[in-house]
């Protein structure tokens, strides 16, 4: 009881909860042996070359899982694969190259995964971008929306059958506490109107990730697939220092390590308790509210607009989920 009161208080202060202070205080309350072996299970992680994705891949490997690292750059990918191999208990991690900003590449990745692996127990959508200017992908989709939202949607719809065959299975999407600041903005999902702001676009896509996790969760509830979204707090990663250099400089002593930021991602993929609850938004091993600020809520129609836009961009209606 005292623990949850302290935890809530940390959450409301933001700085207290998101930093290494929050992690240090909360992690004392966690049972020490809450992460069971993942031997015999396979976990795919996107954005596995650095930061939270690499720490997540290492975490799964440490638990004995076969890890599939998804990366767009062969050299960075191979470096990460070699690092993860050091943690693996004799199970060799696998590298899959894919630029998530290309729908064709994402489709091909899904086909390779289905052809090359006999099972898939956990899929972590971790890769994310915060570009400074509005940019379009080869498919003509705004880059933030393409990488953070459309790519995970396409990968999920293509891998659902495989995950179901390996059930109980899990899908984890790495969102951000930044999503609290913004609503979905369903009328302009690709930021076509007004002056582009990278941080606003990012926060909207992070909100969209949480909404889609909830929508996938209710569709996949009866298929043995638990879907979660998570926010990692503030972690010292190459992505954070590149996208928000001033914020990074200011907060550096308080930032979590990548491993601390990845803790709940690994926990959601491995531990027993989150496997019993689908559709949650998690931070530091506890479910968190999805709305804190007025004006950030979305209607059922907004949610439907987002879902249908993702369907339209990835091959039409999702029939079997
Ligand atoms: N760090 C934080 O405090 C924090 C806070 C809230 C949320 N997050 C979220 O956590 C996730 C990981 O971020 P991070 O901080 O660990 O940043 P990071 O170190 O920059 O990692 C981002 C990863 O995404 C990959 N990626 C980006 N665009 C890609 C593309 N088109 N195709 C394939 N891979 C691509 C990057 O690959 P390359 O190596 O090729 O660039 C990298 O592996 C993101 O979703 C981010 O929004 C982070």
């Amino acid at each position: 009881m005292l623990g949850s009161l302290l935890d809530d208080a940390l959450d409301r202060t933001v700085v207290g909860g998101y930093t290494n202070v929050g992690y240090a205080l909360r992690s004392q309350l966690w049972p020490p042996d809450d992460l069971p072996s993942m031997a015999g299970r396979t976990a795919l992680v996107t954005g596995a070359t650095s930061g939270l994705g690499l720490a997540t891949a290492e975490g799964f490997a440490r638990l004995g899982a076969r890890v599939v690292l998804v990366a767009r750059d062969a050299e960075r990918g191979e470096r990460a694969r070699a690092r993860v191999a050091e943690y693996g208990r004799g199970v060799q991690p696998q590298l899959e190259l894919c630029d998530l900003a290309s729908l064709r590449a994402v489709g091909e990745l899904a086909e390779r995964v289905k052809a090359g692996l006999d099972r898939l127990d956990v899929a972590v959508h971790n890769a994310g971008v915060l570009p400074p200017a509005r940019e379009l992908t080869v498919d003509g989709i705004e880059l933030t929306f393409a990488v953070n939202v459309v790519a995970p949607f396409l990968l999920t719809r293509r891998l659902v059958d495989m995950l179901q065959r390996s059930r109980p299975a899990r899908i984890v999407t790495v969102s951000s506490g930044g999503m609290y600041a913004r609503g979905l903005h369903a009328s302009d999902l690709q930021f076509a109107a007004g002056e582009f702001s990278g941080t606003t676009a990012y926060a909207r896509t992070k909100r969209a990730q949480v909404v889609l996790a909830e929508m996938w969760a209710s569709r996949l509830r009866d298929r043995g697939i638990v879907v979660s979204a998570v926010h990692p707090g503030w972690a010292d990663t190459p992505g954070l220092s590149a996208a928000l250099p001033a914020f990074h400089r200011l907060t550096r002593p308080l930032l979590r390590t990548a491993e601390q930021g990845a803790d709940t991602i690994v926990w959601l993929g491995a531990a027993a308790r989150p496997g019993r609850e689908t559709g949650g938004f998690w931070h530091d091993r506890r479910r968190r509210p999805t709305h804190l600020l007025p004006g950030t809520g979305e209607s059922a129609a907004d949610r439907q607009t987002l879902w249908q836009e993702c369907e339209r961009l990835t091959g039409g209606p999702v029939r079997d989920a």
Side-chain angles (χ1 to χ4, degrees):
M1 181 62 174
L2 183 64
S4 63
L5 284 177
L6 172 68
D7 194 333
D8 285 344
L10 284 168
D11 221 25
R12 295 305 182 268
T13 63
V14 177
V15 174
Y18 288 27
T19 57
N20 52 25
V21 177
Y23 181 85
L25 291 171
R26 289 172 176 145
S27 57
Q28 288 176 25
L29 305 169
W30 301 335
D33 53 353
D34 210 18
L35 292 175
S37 165
M38 290 180 78
R41 299 173 72 197
T42 299
L44 174 144
V45 183
T46 68
T49 51
S50 67
L52 301 175
L54 178 57
T56 300
E58 288 169 357
F60 288 146
R62 221 180 270 124
L63 294 171
R66 172 183 298 282
V67 182
V68 181
L69 297 92
V70 178
R72 63 178 155 175
D73 179 88
E75 213 176 296
R76 282 199 297 278
E78 181 45 41
R79 213 177 305 139
R81 198 200 63 76
R83 239 182 93 157
V84 173
E86 290 172 20
Y87 292 90
R89 301 183 185 163
V91 192
Q92 280 307 309
Q94 187 174 321
L95 174 64
E96 288 295 341
L97 294 178
C98 175
D99 181 353
L100 296 165
S102 155
L103 290 172
R104 186 172 59 79
V106 176
E108 288 171 359
L109 166 69
E111 291 315 308
R112 286 200 308 278
V113 167
K114 286 193 279 193
L117 294 174
D118 54 0
R119 60 183 301 115
L120 182 63
D121 303 272
V122 181
V124 178
H125 300 301
N126 162 76
V129 290
L130 192 170
R134 190 170 189 276
E135 217 179 294
L136 297 183
T137 66
V138 284
D139 305 299
I141 304 170
E142 189 279 313
L143 180 64
T144 329
F145 189 65
V147 173
N148 298 0
V149 179
V150 183
F153 189 91
L154 177 56
L155 199 53
T156 297
R157 69 181 289 180
R158 292 283 180 87
L159 293 179
V160 154
D161 288 343
M162 188 177 189
L163 287 158
Q164 184 180 5
R165 279 198 304 279
S166 311
R167 70 186 159 181
R170 302 179 189 192
I171 298 171
V172 181
T173 301
V174 182
S175 177
S176 163
M179 73 107 200
Y180 282 121
R182 297 286 163 186
L184 196 52
H185 216 70
S187 61
D188 185 16
L189 291 166
Q190 297 192 43
F191 219 132
E195 194 182 336
F196 184 82
S197 151
T199 49
T200 303
Y202 174 82
R204 288 177 185 169
T205 61
K206 292 289 157 181
R207 165 71 63 192
Q209 290 180 327
V210 173
V211 169
L212 287 172
E214 290 172 345
M215 295 180 88
W216 277 116
S218 50
R219 280 175 169 254
L220 301 177
R221 188 182 297 275
D222 297 331
R223 296 181 63 178
I225 304 170
V226 164
V227 186
S228 311
V230 53
H231 92 77
W234 296 329
D236 196 351
T237 64
L240 186 75
S241 57
L244 302 171
F247 176 82
H248 179 256
R249 266 195 309 278
L250 192 71
T251 56
R252 194 160 192 189
L254 288 171
L255 293 176
R256 295 165 178 230
T257 62
E259 193 181 359
Q260 292 169 344
D263 172 86
T264 299
I265 310 172
V266 175
W267 182 78
L268 286 168
R273 190 163 76 76
R276 294 191 283 271
E277 257 178 86
T278 196
F281 180 54
W282 301 79
H283 172 57
D284 279 350
R285 301 191 184 192
R286 257 188 80 192
R287 273 186 90 146
R288 307 287 166 175
T290 52
H291 293 278
L292 294 176
L293 300 175
T296 58
E298 71 282 336
S299 65
D302 290 339
R303 293 164 75 90
Q304 211 45 43
T305 300
L306 171 66
W307 182 270
Q308 284 169 356
E309 178 66 350
C310 289
E311 286 187 322
R312 184 184 73 79
L313 292 168
T314 60
V318 177
R319 297 191 192 286
D320 54 351

